[in-house]
DNA sequence: GCCCAGGTGAAGC
DNA sequence: GCTTCACATGGG
């Protein structure tokens, strides 16, 4: 491992409170972070970065000098006041337990294309397997990046344009199975400009969701993940098998409740940061 | 062998 | 509208 402190311009320490980096990076919102002796190594856009958490800070080291750290502040949402958000959660037993169990859990703000493509690959896969598929995809079709000294090879997430040029066979070779044609069709819609990801963030959330759901392999759940994790629509509330289990078990024990009913409940019960609350329930269910 | 995994789309009522 | 099913692949 190199001595980051000695080289100018490629390390920076950000002071933060209530930021559980491990929980955040492993809570199934992003899939490219790897733990390497108490640090977290990943790629954000075209930046290789290594994050070292401390009690009241996160220290970032990049492979190349950086003058402007806004990309990292934005990705980690370092200027968000978590306490303000937690105050908007409903004051009930399940949320109190989830808040205790998930102290410091945050939502990231990811690149829309990477987030969209990643979640197209997520359907009926365990998080570990999603990580494996994406690692393989980046290795084969991403651009090589210069990693920090003595760190393993690193790659960018392949662009929509790059994936649009790929064949279904190439994609299937990355172990993504029946998701390959979905990813390919969506990449081609974006690469050909039939679909504009830049416009999604400017629409009202219902329209943005409907637009995303016109893409191949994107239904309600994946659309909600992208709305929440990439565009920051705080009301988006992805309901997967875990969240469904959480809602049924914690809020509707001994009653059979439809998915539609759960969505209506979520829209009214969890307040303006419902999506954030959802991530707490998700992580709570998976770790307890 | 079985069942399940941060689901979606198509076909059947 | 709703229910059922196929879809690859790997882990427990």
């Amino acid at each position: 491992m190199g001595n980051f402190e000695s080289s100018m311009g490629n390390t920076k320490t950000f002071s933060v409170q209530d930021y559980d980096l491990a929980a955040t990076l492993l809570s199934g919102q992003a899939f490219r972070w790897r733990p390497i002796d108490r640090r977290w190594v990943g790629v954000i856009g075209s930046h290789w970065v290594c994050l070292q958490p401390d009690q009241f800070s996160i220290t970032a080291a990049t492979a190349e000098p950086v003058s402007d750290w806004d990309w990292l502040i934005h990705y980690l949402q370092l200027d968000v006041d978590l306490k303000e958000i937690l105050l908007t959660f409903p004051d009930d037993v399940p949320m109190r337990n989830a808040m205790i169990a998930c102290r410091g859990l945050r939502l990231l703000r990811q690149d829309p294309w990477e987030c969209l493509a990643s979640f197209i690959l997520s359907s009926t896969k365990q998080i570990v397997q999603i990580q494996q598929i994406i690692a393989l995809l980046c290795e084969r079709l991403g651009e090589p990046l210069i990693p920090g000294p003595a760190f393993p090879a690193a790659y960018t997430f392949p662009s929509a344009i790059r994936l649009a040029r790929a064949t279904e066979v190439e994609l299937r070779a990355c172990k993504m199975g029946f998701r390959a044609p979905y990813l390919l069709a969506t990449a081609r819609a974006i690469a050909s400009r039939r679909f504009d990801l830049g416009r999604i963030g400017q629409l009202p959330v219902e329209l943005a969701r409907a637009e995303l759901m016109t893409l191949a392999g994107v239904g309600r759940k994946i659309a909600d993940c992208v709305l929440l994790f990439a565009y920051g629509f705080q009301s988006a509330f992805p309901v997967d098998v875990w969240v469904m289990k959480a809602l049924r078990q914690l809020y509707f024990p001994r009653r059979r409740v439809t998915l539609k009913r759960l969505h209506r409940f979520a829209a009214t019960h969890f307040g303006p940061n419902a999506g954030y609350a959802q991530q707490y329930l998700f992580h709570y269910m998976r770790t307890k």
Side-chain angles (χ1 to χ4, degrees), chain A residues 179-255:
Chain A
R179 303 157 196 82
Y182 295 152
L183 181 60
L184 193 53
T186 289
R188 287 181 175 165
I190 289 161
S192 69
R193 301 194 177 188
R194 292 197 307 271
F195 194 96
D196 181 8
L197 281 179
R199 198 172 78 92
I200 295 298
Q202 300 168 11
L203 298 173
V205 63
E206 295 83 3
L207 264 179
R209 176 184 295 119
E211 282 290 305
L212 286 170
M213 288 175 67
T214 65
L215 292 166
V218 182
R220 172 71 191 256
K221 188 268 172 182
I222 290 175
D224 279 340
C225 285
V226 177
L227 291 172
L228 183 62
F229 301 142
Y231 292 102
F233 285 103
Q234 299 295 302
S235 66
F237 193 99
V239 180
D240 73 317
V241 290
W242 288 97
V243 173
M244 194 171 336
K245 202 184 299 179
L247 293 178
R248 285 186 169 147
Q249 221 173 79
L250 301 173
Y251 291 97
F252 302 94
R254 307 173 192 288
R255 269 200 281 170

Coordinates of all heavy atoms in Angstrom, one line a residue, chain A residues 179-255:
Chain A
R179 N -31.0 -11.7 -18.1 CA -31.0 -10.3 -18.0 C -30.3 -9.6 -19.2 O -30.4 -8.4 -19.4 CB -30.4 -9.8 -16.7 CG -31.1 -10.4 -15.5 CD -30.3 -10.5 -14.3 NE -30.8 -11.4 -13.2 CZ -30.7 -12.7 -13.3 NH1 -30.0 -13.3 -14.2 NH2 -31.3 -13.5 -12.3
A180 N -29.5 -10.4 -19.9 CA -28.6 -9.9 -21.0 C -29.4 -9.1 -22.0 O -29.1 -8.0 -22.4 CB -27.8 -11.0 -21.6
P181 N -30.5 -9.7 -22.6 CA -31.3 -8.9 -23.6 C -31.9 -7.6 -23.0 O -32.0 -6.7 -23.8 CB -32.3 -9.9 -24.1 CG -32.3 -11.0 -23.1 CD -31.0 -11.1 -22.5
Y182 N -32.3 -7.7 -21.8 CA -32.8 -6.4 -21.2 C -31.8 -5.3 -21.1 O -32.0 -4.2 -21.5 CB -33.3 -6.7 -19.7 CG -34.5 -7.7 -19.6 CD1 -34.6 -8.5 -18.4 CD2 -35.4 -7.8 -20.6 CE1 -35.7 -9.3 -18.3 CE2 -36.5 -8.7 -20.5 CZ -36.6 -9.4 -19.3 OH -37.6 -10.3 -19.2
L183 N -30.6 -5.7 -20.6 CA -29.5 -4.7 -20.5 C -29.1 -4.2 -21.9 O -29.0 -3.0 -22.1 CB -28.3 -5.3 -19.8 CG -27.1 -4.4 -19.6 CD1 -27.6 -3.2 -18.7 CD2 -25.9 -5.1 -19.0
L184 N -29.1 -5.1 -22.8 CA -28.7 -4.7 -24.2 C -29.7 -3.7 -24.8 O -29.4 -2.7 -25.3 CB -28.5 -5.9 -25.1 CG -27.9 -5.7 -26.4 CD1 -26.5 -5.1 -26.2 CD2 -27.7 -7.1 -27.1
A185 N -31.0 -4.1 -24.7 CA -32.0 -3.2 -25.2 C -32.0 -1.8 -24.6 O -32.2 -0.8 -25.3 CB -33.4 -3.9 -25.1
T186 N -31.9 -1.8 -23.3 CA -31.9 -0.5 -22.6 C -30.6 0.3 -22.9 O -30.7 1.5 -23.1 CB -31.9 -0.8 -21.0 OG1 -33.3 -1.2 -20.7 CG2 -31.7 0.5 -20.3
A187 N -29.5 -0.4 -23.0 CA -28.3 0.4 -23.4 C -28.4 1.0 -24.8 O -28.0 2.1 -25.1 CB -27.1 -0.6 -23.4
R188 N -29.1 0.2 -25.7 CA -29.3 0.7 -27.1 C -30.3 1.9 -27.1 O -30.1 2.8 -27.9 CB -29.7 -0.4 -28.0 CG -28.5 -1.3 -28.2 CD -28.7 -2.5 -29.1 NE -27.5 -3.2 -29.4 CZ -27.4 -4.4 -29.9 NH1 -28.5 -5.1 -30.2 NH2 -26.2 -5.0 -30.1
A189 N -31.3 1.8 -26.3 CA -32.2 2.9 -26.3 C -31.6 4.2 -25.8 O -31.8 5.3 -26.3 CB -33.4 2.6 -25.3
I190 N -30.6 4.1 -24.9 CA -30.0 5.3 -24.4 C -28.9 5.7 -25.3 O -28.7 6.9 -25.6 CB -29.4 5.0 -23.0 CG1 -30.6 4.8 -22.0 CG2 -28.4 6.1 -22.5 CD1 -30.2 4.1 -20.7
A191 N -28.1 4.8 -25.8 CA -27.0 5.1 -26.7 C -27.5 5.8 -28.0 O -26.9 6.7 -28.6 CB -26.2 3.9 -27.1
S192 N -28.7 5.4 -28.5 CA -29.3 5.9 -29.7 C -30.0 7.2 -29.4 O -30.6 7.8 -30.3 CB -30.2 4.9 -30.3 OG -31.4 4.8 -29.5
R193 N -30.1 7.6 -28.2 CA -30.8 8.8 -27.7 C -32.3 8.7 -27.9 O -33.0 9.8 -27.9 CB -30.3 10.0 -28.5 CG -28.8 10.3 -28.3 CD -28.4 11.6 -28.8 NE -27.0 11.9 -28.5 CZ -26.5 13.1 -28.7 NH1 -27.2 14.1 -29.2 NH2 -25.2 13.3 -28.5
R194 N -32.8 7.5 -28.1 CA -34.3 7.4 -28.0 C -34.8 7.6 -26.6 O -35.9 8.0 -26.4 CB -34.7 6.0 -28.4 CG -34.5 5.6 -29.9 CD -35.3 4.4 -30.3 NE -35.0 3.3 -29.4 CZ -34.1 2.4 -29.6 NH1 -33.3 2.4 -30.6 NH2 -33.9 1.4 -28.7
F195 N -33.9 7.4 -25.6 CA -34.2 7.6 -24.2 C -33.2 8.5 -23.6 O -32.0 8.3 -23.8 CB -34.2 6.3 -23.5 CG -34.9 6.4 -22.2 CD1 -36.2 6.0 -22.0 CD2 -34.2 6.8 -21.0 CE1 -36.9 6.1 -20.8 CE2 -34.8 6.9 -19.8 CZ -36.2 6.6 -19.7
D196 N -33.6 9.6 -22.9 CA -32.7 10.6 -22.3 C -32.7 10.5 -20.8 O -33.7 10.9 -20.1 CB -33.2 12.0 -22.8 CG -32.3 13.1 -22.2 OD1 -31.2 12.7 -21.6 OD2 -32.6 14.2 -22.4
L197 N -31.7 9.9 -20.2 CA -31.6 9.8 -18.8 C -31.5 11.2 -18.1 O -31.9 11.3 -17.0 CB -30.4 8.9 -18.4 CG -30.5 7.4 -18.5 CD1 -29.2 6.8 -18.1 CD2 -31.6 6.9 -17.7
G198 N -30.9 12.1 -18.8 CA -30.8 13.5 -18.3 C -32.1 14.2 -18.0 O -32.2 15.0 -17.1
R199 N -33.1 13.8 -18.7 CA -34.4 14.4 -18.5 C -35.2 13.9 -17.3 O -36.0 14.6 -16.8 CB -35.3 14.1 -19.8 CG -36.4 15.1 -20.0 CD -37.0 14.8 -21.4 NE -37.9 13.7 -21.5 CZ -39.2 13.7 -21.2 NH1 -39.8 14.8 -21.0 NH2 -39.9 12.6 -21.3
I200 N -34.9 12.6 -17.0 CA -35.7 12.0 -15.9 C -35.7 12.8 -14.6 O -36.7 12.9 -14.0 CB -35.1 10.6 -15.6 CG1 -35.2 9.7 -16.9 CG2 -35.7 9.9 -14.4 CD1 -36.7 9.4 -17.3
G201 N -34.5 13.3 -14.3 CA -34.4 14.0 -13.0 C -35.2 15.3 -12.9 O -35.4 15.9 -11.8
Q202 N -35.6 15.8 -14.1 CA -36.4 17.1 -14.1 C -37.9 16.9 -14.1 O -38.6 17.8 -14.1 CB -35.9 17.9 -15.3 CG -34.4 18.2 -15.2 CD -33.8 18.7 -16.5 OE1 -34.6 19.1 -17.4 NE2 -32.5 18.8 -16.6
L203 N -38.3 15.6 -14.2 CA -39.7 15.3 -14.2 C -40.3 15.1 -12.8 O -39.5 14.8 -11.9 CB -40.0 14.0 -15.0 CG -39.5 14.0 -16.5 CD1 -39.7 12.6 -17.1 CD2 -40.3 15.0 -17.3
P204 N -41.6 15.3 -12.7 CA -42.2 14.9 -11.4 C -42.0 13.4 -11.2 O -41.9 12.7 -12.2 CB -43.7 15.2 -11.6 CG -43.8 16.1 -12.8 CD -42.5 15.9 -13.6
V205 N -42.0 13.0 -10.0 CA -41.6 11.6 -9.7 C -42.4 10.5 -10.4 O -41.9 9.5 -10.9 CB -41.5 11.3 -8.2 CG1 -42.9 11.4 -7.5 CG2 -40.9 10.0 -7.9
E206 N -43.7 10.8 -10.5 CA -44.6 9.8 -11.1 C -44.3 9.6 -12.6 O -44.3 8.5 -13.1 CB -46.1 10.1 -10.9 CG -46.6 10.1 -9.5 CD -46.3 11.4 -8.8 OE1 -45.7 12.4 -9.4 OE2 -46.6 11.5 -7.5
L207 N -44.1 10.8 -13.3 CA -43.7 10.7 -14.7 C -42.4 10.1 -14.9 O -42.2 9.3 -15.8 CB -43.7 12.2 -15.2 CG -45.0 12.6 -15.9 CD1 -44.8 14.1 -16.4 CD2 -45.3 11.7 -17.1
A208 N -41.4 10.5 -14.0 CA -40.1 9.9 -14.1 C -40.1 8.4 -14.0 O -39.5 7.7 -14.8 CB -39.2 10.5 -13.1
R209 N -40.9 7.9 -13.1 CA -41.1 6.4 -12.9 C -41.7 5.8 -14.1 O -41.2 4.8 -14.6 CB -41.9 6.2 -11.7 CG -42.2 4.7 -11.4 CD -43.2 4.4 -10.3 NE -42.6 4.9 -9.0 CZ -43.1 5.8 -8.2 NH1 -44.2 6.4 -8.6 NH2 -42.5 6.1 -7.1
A210 N -42.7 6.4 -14.6 CA -43.4 5.8 -15.8 C -42.4 5.8 -17.0 O -42.4 4.8 -17.8 CB -44.6 6.7 -16.2
E211 N -41.6 6.8 -17.2 CA -40.6 6.8 -18.3 C -39.6 5.7 -18.1 O -39.4 5.0 -19.0 CB -39.9 8.2 -18.3 CG -40.7 9.3 -18.9 CD -40.8 9.2 -20.4 OE1 -39.8 9.0 -21.1 OE2 -42.0 9.2 -20.8
L212 N -39.1 5.6 -16.9 CA -38.1 4.5 -16.6 C -38.7 3.1 -16.9 O -38.0 2.2 -17.4 CB -37.6 4.6 -15.2 CG -36.6 5.7 -14.9 CD1 -36.3 5.8 -13.4 CD2 -35.3 5.5 -15.7
M213 N -40.0 3.0 -16.6 CA -40.6 1.7 -16.8 C -40.9 1.3 -18.2 O -41.3 0.2 -18.5 CB -41.9 1.6 -15.9 CG -41.6 1.5 -14.4 SD -43.1 1.6 -13.4 CE -43.9 0.0 -13.8
T214 N -40.7 2.3 -19.1 CA -40.8 1.9 -20.6 C -39.5 1.2 -21.0 O -39.5 0.6 -22.1 CB -41.0 3.1 -21.4 OG1 -39.8 4.0 -21.4 CG2 -42.2 4.0 -21.0
L215 N -38.5 1.2 -20.2 CA -37.2 0.5 -20.6 C -37.3 -1.0 -20.4 O -38.0 -1.4 -19.5 CB -36.0 1.1 -19.8 CG -35.7 2.5 -20.1 CD1 -34.7 3.1 -19.1 CD2 -35.0 2.6 -21.5
A216 N -36.6 -1.8 -21.2 CA -36.6 -3.2 -21.1 C -36.0 -3.6 -19.8 O -35.0 -3.2 -19.4 CB -35.8 -3.8 -22.2
G217 N -36.7 -4.5 -19.1 CA -36.2 -5.1 -17.8 C -36.4 -4.1 -16.6 O -35.9 -4.4 -15.6
V218 N -37.1 -3.1 -16.8 CA -37.3 -2.1 -15.7 C -38.8 -2.1 -15.4 O -39.6 -1.6 -16.1 CB -36.9 -0.7 -16.1 CG1 -37.1 0.3 -14.9 CG2 -35.4 -0.7 -16.5
G219 N -39.1 -2.6 -14.2 CA -40.5 -2.6 -13.7 C -40.5 -1.6 -12.5 O -39.6 -0.8 -12.3
R220 N -41.6 -1.7 -11.7 CA -41.8 -0.7 -10.6 C -40.6 -0.7 -9.6 O -40.1 0.3 -9.2 CB -43.1 -1.1 -9.9 CG -43.3 -0.3 -8.6 CD -43.7 1.1 -8.9 NE -43.7 1.9 -7.7 CZ -44.8 2.4 -7.1 NH1 -46.0 2.0 -7.6 NH2 -44.7 3.1 -6.1
K221 N -40.1 -1.9 -9.3 CA -39.1 -2.0 -8.2 C -37.8 -1.4 -8.7 O -37.2 -0.6 -8.0 CB -38.9 -3.4 -7.8 CG -38.1 -3.6 -6.6 CD -36.6 -3.8 -7.0 CE -35.7 -3.8 -5.8 NZ -34.3 -3.9 -6.2
I222 N -37.3 -1.7 -9.9 CA -36.1 -1.2 -10.3 C -36.2 0.3 -10.6 O -35.2 1.0 -10.4 CB -35.6 -2.1 -11.6 CG1 -35.2 -3.5 -11.1 CG2 -34.5 -1.4 -12.3 CD1 -34.8 -4.4 -12.2
A223 N -37.3 0.7 -11.2 CA -37.5 2.1 -11.4 C -37.4 2.9 -10.1 O -36.7 3.9 -10.0 CB -38.9 2.4 -12.0
D224 N -38.0 2.4 -9.0 CA -37.9 3.0 -7.7 C -36.5 3.1 -7.2 O -36.1 4.1 -6.6 CB -38.8 2.4 -6.7 CG -40.3 2.8 -6.9 OD1 -40.5 3.9 -7.5 OD2 -41.2 2.1 -6.4
C225 N -35.7 2.0 -7.4 CA -34.3 2.0 -7.0 C -33.5 3.1 -7.7 O -32.8 3.9 -7.1 CB -33.7 0.7 -7.3 SG -34.2 -0.6 -6.2
V226 N -33.8 3.3 -9.0 CA -33.0 4.3 -9.7 C -33.5 5.7 -9.3 O -32.7 6.6 -9.2 CB -33.2 4.1 -11.3 CG1 -32.5 5.2 -12.1 CG2 -32.6 2.7 -11.6
L227 N -34.8 5.9 -9.1 CA -35.3 7.2 -8.7 C -34.7 7.6 -7.4 O -34.3 8.7 -7.2 CB -36.8 7.1 -8.6 CG -37.6 6.9 -9.9 CD1 -39.1 6.7 -9.5 CD2 -37.5 8.2 -10.7
L228 N -34.5 6.6 -6.5 CA -34.0 6.9 -5.1 C -32.5 7.0 -5.1 O -32.0 8.0 -4.6 CB -34.5 5.8 -4.2 CG -34.1 6.0 -2.7 CD1 -34.8 7.2 -2.1 CD2 -34.5 4.8 -1.9
F229 N -31.8 6.0 -5.6 CA -30.4 5.9 -5.5 C -29.6 6.8 -6.4 O -28.4 7.2 -6.2 CB -29.9 4.5 -5.6 CG -30.5 3.5 -4.6 CD1 -30.9 2.2 -5.0 CD2 -30.8 3.9 -3.3 CE1 -31.4 1.3 -4.1 CE2 -31.3 3.0 -2.4 CZ -31.7 1.7 -2.8
A230 N -30.2 7.2 -7.6 CA -29.5 8.0 -8.6 C -30.0 9.4 -8.7 O -29.2 10.3 -8.8 CB -29.5 7.3 -9.9
Y231 N -31.3 9.5 -8.6 CA -31.9 10.9 -8.8 C -32.3 11.6 -7.5 O -32.6 12.7 -7.5 CB -33.1 10.8 -9.8 CG -32.7 10.4 -11.2 CD1 -32.9 9.1 -11.6 CD2 -32.2 11.3 -12.0 CE1 -32.6 8.7 -12.9 CE2 -31.8 11.0 -13.3 CZ -32.0 9.7 -13.8 OH -31.7 9.4 -15.1
G232 N -32.3 10.8 -6.4 CA -32.6 11.4 -5.2 C -34.1 11.8 -4.9 O -34.3 12.6 -4.1
F233 N -34.9 11.1 -5.6 CA -36.4 11.2 -5.3 C -36.6 10.6 -4.0 O -36.7 9.3 -3.9 CB -37.3 10.6 -6.4 CG -37.3 11.4 -7.6 CD1 -36.6 11.0 -8.8 CD2 -38.1 12.5 -7.7 CE1 -36.7 11.7 -10.0 CE2 -38.2 13.3 -8.9 CZ -37.5 12.9 -10.0
Q234 N -36.8 11.4 -2.9 CA -36.9 10.8 -1.6 C -38.1 10.0 -1.3 O -38.2 9.3 -0.3 CB -36.7 11.9 -0.5 CG -35.4 12.7 -0.6 CD -34.2 11.8 -0.3 OE1 -34.1 11.3 0.8 NE2 -33.3 11.7 -1.2
S235 N -39.1 10.2 -2.1 CA -40.4 9.5 -1.9 C -40.4 8.1 -2.5 O -41.3 7.3 -2.2 CB -41.6 10.3 -2.4 OG -41.5 10.4 -3.8
A236 N -39.5 7.8 -3.4 CA -39.4 6.5 -4.1 C -39.2 5.4 -3.0 O -38.3 5.6 -2.2 CB -38.3 6.5 -5.2
F237 N -39.9 4.4 -3.1 CA -39.9 3.3 -2.0 C -39.9 2.0 -2.7 O -40.9 1.3 -2.9 CB -41.2 3.5 -1.2 CG -41.2 2.7 0.1 CD1 -40.8 3.4 1.3 CD2 -41.5 1.4 0.2 CE1 -40.8 2.7 2.5 CE2 -41.5 0.7 1.4 CZ -41.2 1.4 2.6
P238 N -38.7 1.5 -3.0 CA -38.5 0.2 -3.7 C -39.0 -0.9 -2.8 O -38.6 -1.0 -1.6 CB -37.0 0.0 -3.9 CG -36.5 1.4 -3.8 CD -37.3 2.1 -2.8
V239 N -39.9 -1.7 -3.3 CA -40.4 -2.9 -2.5 C -39.9 -4.2 -3.1 O -40.4 -4.6 -4.2 CB -42.0 -2.9 -2.4 CG1 -42.4 -4.1 -1.6 CG2 -42.5 -1.6 -1.7
D240 N -38.9 -4.8 -2.5 CA -38.4 -6.1 -3.0 C -38.9 -7.1 -2.0 O -39.7 -6.8 -1.1 CB -36.9 -6.0 -3.1 CG -36.3 -6.0 -1.7 OD1 -36.8 -5.3 -0.8 OD2 -35.3 -6.8 -1.4
V241 N -38.3 -8.3 -2.1 CA -38.8 -9.4 -1.2 C -38.5 -9.1 0.3 O -39.3 -9.4 1.1 CB -38.1 -10.8 -1.6 CG1 -38.7 -11.3 -2.9 CG2 -36.6 -10.7 -1.7
W242 N -37.4 -8.4 0.5 CA -37.0 -8.1 1.9 C -37.9 -7.0 2.5 O -38.3 -7.1 3.6 CB -35.5 -7.6 2.0 CG -34.6 -8.7 1.8 CD1 -33.9 -9.0 0.6 CD2 -34.1 -9.7 2.7 NE1 -33.1 -10.1 0.8 CE2 -33.2 -10.5 2.1 CE3 -34.4 -9.9 4.1 CZ2 -32.5 -11.6 2.7 CZ3 -33.7 -10.9 4.7 CH2 -32.8 -11.8 4.0
V243 N -38.1 -6.0 1.7 CA -39.0 -4.9 2.2 C -40.4 -5.4 2.4 O -41.1 -5.0 3.3 CB -38.9 -3.7 1.3 CG1 -39.9 -2.6 1.7 CG2 -37.4 -3.1 1.4
M244 N -40.8 -6.2 1.5 CA -42.2 -6.8 1.6 C -42.3 -7.6 2.9 O -43.2 -7.5 3.6 CB -42.5 -7.7 0.4 CG -43.9 -8.1 0.2 SD -44.4 -8.9 -1.3 CE -43.2 -8.4 -2.5
K245 N -41.2 -8.4 3.1 CA -41.2 -9.2 4.3 C -41.3 -8.3 5.6 O -42.0 -8.5 6.5 CB -39.9 -10.1 4.4 CG -40.0 -11.3 5.3 CD -38.7 -12.0 5.3 CE -38.2 -12.6 4.0 NZ -36.9 -13.3 4.1
A246 N -40.5 -7.2 5.5 CA -40.4 -6.3 6.6 C -41.8 -5.6 6.9 O -42.3 -5.6 8.0 CB -39.4 -5.2 6.4
L247 N -42.4 -5.2 5.8 CA -43.7 -4.5 6.0 C -44.8 -5.4 6.5 O -45.5 -5.1 7.4 CB -44.1 -3.9 4.6 CG -43.3 -2.7 4.1 CD1 -43.8 -2.2 2.8 CD2 -43.2 -1.6 5.1
R248 N -44.8 -6.6 5.9 CA -45.8 -7.6 6.3 C -45.6 -8.0 7.8 O -46.5 -8.1 8.6 CB -45.8 -8.8 5.4 CG -46.4 -8.5 4.0 CD -46.5 -9.7 3.2 NE -47.3 -9.4 2.0 CZ -47.2 -9.9 0.8 NH1 -46.2 -10.8 0.6 NH2 -48.0 -9.6 -0.2
Q249 N -44.4 -8.3 8.1 CA -44.1 -8.8 9.4 C -44.3 -7.7 10.5 O -44.8 -8.0 11.6 CB -42.6 -9.3 9.5 CG -42.4 -10.6 10.2 CD -40.9 -11.0 10.0 OE1 -40.0 -10.5 10.6 NE2 -40.7 -11.9 9.1
L250 N -43.8 -6.5 10.2 CA -43.7 -5.5 11.2 C -45.0 -4.7 11.3 O -45.3 -4.2 12.4 CB -42.5 -4.6 11.0 CG -41.1 -5.3 10.9 CD1 -40.1 -4.3 10.5 CD2 -40.8 -5.8 12.3
Y251 N -45.7 -4.5 10.2 CA -46.8 -3.6 10.2 C -48.2 -4.4 9.9 O -49.2 -3.9 10.3 CB -46.7 -2.5 9.1 CG -45.6 -1.5 9.5 CD1 -44.3 -1.7 8.9 CD2 -45.9 -0.5 10.3 CE1 -43.3 -0.8 9.3 CE2 -44.9 0.4 10.7 CZ -43.6 0.3 10.1 OH -42.6 1.2 10.4
F252 N -48.1 -5.5 9.3 CA -49.4 -6.3 9.0 C -49.2 -7.8 9.4 O -49.4 -8.6 8.6 CB -49.7 -6.2 7.5 CG -49.9 -4.8 7.0 CD1 -48.8 -4.1 6.4 CD2 -51.1 -4.1 7.2 CE1 -49.0 -2.8 6.0 CE2 -51.3 -2.8 6.7 CZ -50.2 -2.1 6.1
P253 N -48.9 -8.0 10.7 CA -48.7 -9.5 11.0 C -50.1 -10.2 10.9 O -51.1 -9.6 11.3 CB -48.3 -9.4 12.5 CG -48.7 -8.0 13.0 CD -48.7 -7.1 11.8
R254 N -50.1 -11.4 10.5 CA -51.3 -12.2 10.4 C -52.3 -11.6 9.5 O -53.5 -11.8 9.7 CB -51.9 -12.5 11.7 CG -51.0 -13.0 12.8 CD -51.7 -13.1 14.1 NE -50.6 -13.4 15.1 CZ -50.1 -14.6 15.2 NH1 -50.5 -15.6 14.4 NH2 -49.1 -14.8 16.1
R255 N -51.9 -10.9 8.5 CA -52.9 -10.5 7.5 C -52.3 -10.6 6.1 O -51.1 -10.4 6.0 CB -53.3 -9.0 7.7 CG -54.5 -8.8 8.6 CD -55.0 -7.4 8.4 NE -54.3 -6.3 9.0 CZ -54.5 -5.0 8.8 NH1 -55.5 -4.7 8.0 NH2 -53.8 -4.1 9.5

